[in-house]
Amino acid sequence: MSKNLVIVESPAKAKTIEKYLGKDFTVLSSVGHIRSIAKKTKTGQPPIDIANNFATTYEIDSDKRKTISELKKAVKTADQVWLATDEDREGEAIAWHLCEVLGLDPTQTKRIVFHEITKPAIEAAIKNPRTVDMQLVQAQQARQILDRLVGFELSPVVWQKVPGGKSAGRVQSPAVRLLVEREREIEAFEGKSTYRVTAEFLHQSDTVKAELNQRFDSEAAATTFLESIADATFRVSDVSTSPGTRNPGAPFTTSTLQQEANSKLGFGARATMSSAQKLYQAGKITYMRTDSVNLSKQALAATADYINSHYGQEYSQVRNFKTKSASAQEAHEAIRPTDISVEKGSSNDYDQKLYDLIRRRTLASQMSAAKLEKTTVTIAISTAEQVFEAKGEVIIFDGFLKVYGGGTKDPDILPKLSTDDELTRQIIGARQTFARPPARYTEGSLVKKLEELGIGRPSTYATIINTIQDREYAVKGEGEGTPRDVIALTLEDSEVSREIVQEKTGSDRGKLVPTSIGRMISDFLNEHFEPIVDYGFTANVEEDFDKIATGALARNVMLERFYAPFHKLIEQSGGIDRAKVAQATPVGTDPKTGKMIYARFGRFGPMLQRGETSDDEKPDFAPMPAGARLETVTLDQALKAFELPRIVGTTEDGQTIKANIGRFGPYIQVDKLYVSIKPLDPHVISEAEARELYTAKLKADAEKNIADFGDGIKVLNGRFGPYITDGKKNVKIPKDTDPKTIDHATAKQMIADAPAAKKRPVRRRTKKSSK
């Protein structure tokens, strides 16, 4: 073992750093966090002892025992240990946990941090070590303790009081509330329509596109206007030009990287951070969890040199961006390439796309503004007071657009026009346009909103987005929208023609849509645990963490201030009526039975109920139709759902085939055999289609079942080849043995000879108590 032992978080990072430090250094990895708050303690004391100043018992994660054992051996033979975990609060906490577990003194052990994994940065860190920053550790502990207390005390209330409720979190809950509020805004939106008049004129051989400076509230008004200009002449009454500039954005923070990667590349928050992590560990970009837009002096100089040599001095403009967030640490840097001249950051296409985005954004931030010339041409109508306006834009100097943002739709380029030029009418039309409701959040725009509200931090945005989807409180939409009739009027010669065309509206593809359980959870928390979903309260908690990190606030003072009122709400929750939380919504009366149909939430999600639970005759149930929600399902949709199960026909040997929808989607049933029919509709699947799927299922099962000896012993085909099983033990069949030749006696003997399945040993967990 080398004299110096460096401990980092990830194996990939360890490899990169070791090649820079040389033979006197050995670099090992903790593979992330090594300890968590215990679920229970030996003494029976709570893992978080609130009465004892929130003293917390930690335990080594079961999958890290081998790692810890290897690190302990390495520490014994090393003269000097360097803790080089990430530079944020999570990294600082890991460094402290390593001290605790490895028997290192946190006040003496050398701690090094760096923004990038490059030889100069690593060497500079080695020359300037510090010790573990306990204020940062306490800030991380406060977040972890608070989140554990909220999860452990609030989640059981959610399980008991909200049907289908899985958990409630301190930061995920306000995010779900944002989605629910936006969805209700969309549902309450009353789309008013107006008529937009556009025209195409001809000047010599050039086409000029223009729009009327007034919109009409009705079809009649639009028709009247078009008729009034049927014999009009058109001329240019004014041409005005004005210079304009467009400035580049700042280099990326974690938040803006997630937003832009989502917008430009279609990457989700989790995918973005995964790629960024790999690029950082490979030494290609600076640390990816940051809220700073600052660039180091060295980075500014290197970027300016690159721009001057590749694009020319006129493209270079050194810019020092200032971070708006009060909690941002200016000593940190924005996300940038470690070497701006390197165009290839990864051989992986996915990671390379993100690297290219980061590199171009960094370059653009240090480039000149784009210079534009905006032109507005006013076109007078001889028979009307209104005017048409044609607008265009010419890029005089592309500046930063040369590398970033120049790929958007080009504005209309106008031909050269002068006052009093006559224009010839080609096409004039009026089209009904509808006001748009507020847009649903994408992953990127939700991150932006959370950042604006002060909820979450760079290290938590992706986790928040993932959690609300993993808990099924929100889903990513896949709908392309629904058709809508639109009136289009066209002036042809002296007549106005009318046509009904269709356009799609309400697409939710790629957008975050709250589920029924997401709505119910949000409403429940809003009514009974308002502080948990209050945006201002959640933001204040984040600010308190920042204060703990700087020593401006004591950890336990902050925890007590939060916990006392929160726990009081938990104690009062016993009286909440579960029936009122999940009230059934009347949909309408079934005309055949006269029974009321309700939309309600059941054990496995939204469903329909026909009849009353208090009646002598039990109600019957049906799954919620695809695309419908508790709040929007119609009586027609509900009645169709109760048409199931449906008799489709019979198999070739006369067995009845039923079609239905279950927890896992549509299926057909023959006796006790169930066959998925996705993506077919159980209402319309034909007998021929059902027979084909049934036959295919029988064939697949037959191929899996090589032999069945009737006493529980079978020879089966599995994912990893053929094997024998008695339901308790599985025995792999050797490759040189034909499974079809194995008889009952042989199979029985092979099962008997196989060792018993090993029971996992119960391991005692190492626990350490710390305040």
Side-chain angles (χ1 to χ4, degrees):
M1 179 61 68
S2 305
K3 293 180 181 179
N4 294 279
L5 171 65
V6 180
I7 304 176
V8 298
E9 285 182 43
S10 75
K13 190 174 170 183
K15 288 180 183 178
T16 310
I17 291 173
E18 194 164 53
K19 71 181 181 183
Y20 292 138
L21 288 175
K23 61 182 181 180
D24 289 337
F25 289 81
T26 296
V27 185
L28 297 179
S29 165
S30 71
V31 198
H33 282 274
I34 58 167
R35 292 202 304 178
S36 305
I37 298 174
K39 291 184 172 60
K40 59 182 179 180
T41 66
K42 290 179 183 177
T43 62
Q45 287 290 102
I48 300 173
D49 193 346
I50 295 155
N52 188 22
N53 292 321
F54 295 90
T56 305
T57 302
Y58 295 93
E59 62 185 7
I60 295 173
D61 297 336
S62 58
D63 60 341
K64 296 296 171 68
R65 295 186 179 282
K66 185 179 177 182
T67 301
I68 293 301
S69 177
E70 291 170 353
L71 289 174
K72 281 182 176 179
K73 288 178 186 176
V75 167
K76 285 180 181 178
T77 59
D79 294 339
Q80 182 67 60
V81 177
W82 307 74
L83 301 176
T85 48
D86 288 348
E87 61 176 329
D88 56 11
R89 294 172 197 168
E90 293 295 320
E92 206 70 26
I94 292 172
W96 175 76
H97 281 293
L98 285 167
C99 288
E100 293 281 295
V101 170
L102 301 177
L104 303 171
D105 184 349
T107 64
Q108 299 295 321
T109 305
K110 292 185 177 181
R111 167 87 170 108
I112 55 173
V113 294
F114 32 82
H115 308 317
E116 59 186 65
I117 304 175
T118 59
K119 189 177 177 69
I122 303 301
E123 289 175 344
I126 292 289
K127 290 175 184 176
N128 299 283
R130 59 173 174 80
T131 55
V132 175
D133 186 334
M134 288 308 298
Q135 290 174 350
L136 290 180
V137 173
Q138 288 180 354
Q140 188 274 347
Q141 289 176 343
R143 179 188 293 279
Q144 191 180 37
I145 290 168
L146 215 56
D147 289 348
R148 171 63 73 92
L149 289 172
V150 170
F152 268 48
E153 295 200 11
L154 184 55
S155 291
V157 176
V158 168
W159 302 334
Q160 293 167 16
K161 304 297 182 181
V162 183
K166 295 181 180 178
S167 70
R170 184 185 56 81
V171 181
Q172 76 195 43
S173 299
V176 175
R177 179 186 170 188
L178 280 170
L179 299 181
V180 171
E181 287 179 343
R182 178 56 55 88
E183 197 67 20
R184 288 189 172 137
E185 286 177 40
I186 294 169
E187 291 168 0
F189 183 80
E190 295 181 4
K192 179 185 175 185
S193 69
T194 57
Y195 287 78
R196 173 175 172 256
V197 180
T198 58
E200 287 186 14
F201 300 102
L202 199 63
H203 177 256
Q204 296 174 355
S205 60
D206 296 316
T207 298
V208 180
K209 295 179 180 179
E211 181 177 341
L212 196 72
N213 66 344
Q214 178 185 337
R215 294 198 177 193
F216 299 99
D217 293 331
S218 66
E219 180 185 352
T223 303
T224 300
F225 171 77
L226 291 177
E227 290 173 344
S228 73
I229 63 171
D231 299 320
T233 57
F234 306 89
R235 68 175 182 83
V236 175
S237 61
D238 183 60
V239 178
S240 63
T241 59
S242 61
T245 58
R246 197 181 303 170
N247 288 299
F252 284 132
T253 62
T254 304
S255 166
T256 54
L257 176 63
Q258 290 176 2
Q259 293 168 43
E260 201 77 342
N262 186 243
S263 171
K264 283 188 162 50
L265 305 177
F267 289 8
R270 178 187 294 178
T272 298
M273 294 312 291
S274 175
S275 281
Q277 178 98 21
K278 285 185 274 185
L279 291 169
Y280 167 66
Q281 290 172 352
K284 299 301 182 181
I285 63 169
T286 53
Y287 192 54
M288 64 285 157
R289 282 189 279 273
T290 176
D291 47 13
S292 173
V293 292
N294 188 41
L295 293 178
S296 68
K297 289 180 180 178
Q298 296 90 332
L300 289 172
T303 305
D305 287 345
Y306 184 87
I307 293 167
N308 284 325
S309 61
H310 284 74
Y311 303 108
Q313 289 186 356
E314 68 274 19
Y315 280 93
S316 178
Q317 182 177 336
V318 177
R319 299 169 186 268
N320 286 294
F321 292 91
K322 289 295 177 185
T323 305
K324 294 177 182 177
S325 171
S327 63
Q329 301 174 61
E330 292 297 344
H332 292 182
E333 277 197 77
I335 304 168
R336 62 165 176 83
T338 54
D339 185 346
I340 198 70
S341 66
V342 174
E343 294 183 14
K344 187 80 171 174
S346 174
S347 57
N348 177 287
D349 289 345
Y350 208 87
D351 300 341
Q352 175 58 29
K353 285 180 180 178
L354 192 72
Y355 176 80
D356 183 60
L357 187 73
I358 293 167
R359 181 175 177 271
R360 288 187 292 107
R361 177 71 168 233
T362 305
L363 281 171
S365 75
Q366 300 304 308
M367 293 178 76
S368 305
K371 295 178 182 177
L372 318 168
E373 184 179 81
K374 298 179 180 181
T375 303
T376 301
V377 176
T378 305
I379 302 166
I381 307 167
S382 63
T383 60
E385 294 179 355
Q386 295 92 337
V387 295
F388 282 100
E389 290 181 339
K391 296 182 178 180
E393 190 174 272
V394 177
I395 298 174
I396 306 300
F397 173 66
D398 54 1
F400 78 93
L401 293 176
K402 198 169 196 73
V403 298
Y404 196 90
T408 53
K409 182 180 179 293
D410 291 329
D412 289 327
I413 304 298
L414 296 173
K416 187 166 182 61
L417 295 167
S418 303
T419 304
D420 292 331
D421 280 351
E422 295 288 336
L423 301 179
T424 304
R425 181 190 99 199
Q426 285 198 301
I427 303 170
I428 297 181
R431 186 182 176 99
Q432 186 180 22
T433 58
F434 292 84
R436 292 184 177 183
R440 290 184 176 94
Y441 289 105
T442 61
E443 287 195 8
S445 61
L446 182 57
V447 167
K448 183 178 182 181
K449 186 65 177 178
L450 290 170
E451 185 182 39
E452 287 173 0
L453 293 171
I455 297 172
R457 288 295 181 264
S459 59
T460 62
Y461 295 135
T463 304
I464 295 168
I465 301 294
N466 294 338
T467 300
I468 62 177
Q469 294 178 76
D470 291 344
R471 297 283 186 273
E472 297 179 357
Y473 295 159
V475 295
K476 203 170 283 185
E478 297 180 350
E480 297 289 356
T482 53
R484 173 172 62 190
D485 289 342
V486 173
I487 299 168
L489 307 172
T490 306
L491 177 60
E492 298 173 350
D493 297 326
S494 298
E495 299 291 326
V496 176
S497 63
R498 183 180 189 271
E499 183 184 6
I500 301 293
V501 296
Q502 282 199 330
E503 65 181 16
K504 290 280 184 75
T505 181
S507 170
D508 62 11
R509 178 171 287 277
K511 307 291 177 63
L512 292 172
V513 183
T515 59
S516 296
I517 182 59
R519 287 170 176 250
M520 196 180 299
I521 284 281
S522 184
D523 291 344
F524 172 77
L525 294 176
N526 215 25
E527 182 176 353
H528 301 289
F529 295 91
E530 198 271 338
I532 295 297
V533 290
D534 181 77
Y535 305 133
F537 180 84
T538 307
N540 289 338
V541 170
E542 294 289 350
E543 290 176 4
D544 283 348
F545 293 148
D546 296 336
K547 289 176 183 176
I548 295 169
T550 61
L553 180 64
R555 187 198 79 167
N556 291 350
V557 170
M558 182 268 177
L559 290 173
E560 183 60 41
R561 200 160 65 191
F562 176 94
Y563 182 74
F566 166 73
H567 186 65
K568 191 173 182 180
L569 291 175
I570 295 290
E571 290 176 327
Q572 296 169 351
S573 66
I576 299 172
D577 187 347
R578 177 185 169 96
K580 288 184 178 179
V581 173
Q583 281 185 328
T585 305
V587 176
T589 302
D590 181 352
K592 288 184 179 178
T593 64
K595 295 179 179 179
M596 177 61 74
I597 296 176
Y598 298 94
R600 50 166 292 211
F601 215 91
R603 184 181 172 192
F604 301 116
M607 66 178 193
L608 297 167
Q609 172 185 313
R610 182 167 57 187
E612 307 289 342
T613 53
S614 57
D615 290 349
D616 293 336
E617 185 182 348
K618 289 185 178 180
D620 51 345
F621 303 95
M624 186 65 64
R629 295 200 300 266
L630 288 174
E631 304 81 5
T632 61
V633 64
T634 64
L635 181 59
D636 286 343
Q637 289 174 311
L639 291 174
K640 191 172 183 182
F642 279 105
E643 291 174 1
L644 300 176
R646 164 179 163 255
I647 303 297
V648 177
T650 60
T651 62
E652 290 180 359
D653 58 357
Q655 296 183 82
T656 301
I657 304 173
K658 293 180 183 178
N660 205 348
I661 298 176
R663 281 181 64 196
F664 305 109
Y667 65 90
I668 54 170
Q669 178 185 355
V670 179
D671 194 20
K672 294 181 180 180
L673 181 68
Y674 296 84
V675 184
S676 171
I677 62 171
K678 288 180 182 178
L680 298 179
D681 185 342
H683 292 92
V684 297
I685 186 173
S686 66
E687 184 181 63
E689 290 171 324
R691 282 185 174 187
E692 186 178 344
L693 290 168
Y694 172 66
T695 302
K697 174 68 173 173
L698 291 178
K699 183 181 178 184
D701 286 353
E703 289 173 351
K704 180 183 177 183
N705 289 287
I706 299 171
D708 186 342
F709 298 111
D711 60 349
I713 297 178
K714 298 178 182 180
V715 182
L716 302 175
N717 250 326
R719 283 178 62 196
F720 306 107
Y723 66 98
I724 300 168
T725 183
D726 65 351
K728 295 178 181 178
K729 285 196 286 186
N730 296 335
V731 182
K732 189 174 181 180
I733 297 171
K735 287 184 179 180
D736 57 356
T737 302
D738 184 352
K740 294 179 181 177
T741 63
I742 295 175
D743 58 20
H744 186 203
T746 304
K748 199 171 184 179
Q749 188 61 49
M750 289 176 72
I751 288 286
D753 292 344
K758 289 183 180 179
K759 289 186 177 180
R760 276 187 158 184
V762 178
R763 296 176 183 264
R764 289 187 175 182
R765 299 189 169 191
T766 303
K767 299 176 183 178
K768 184 114 178 171
S769 182
S770 172
K771 293 182 184 180

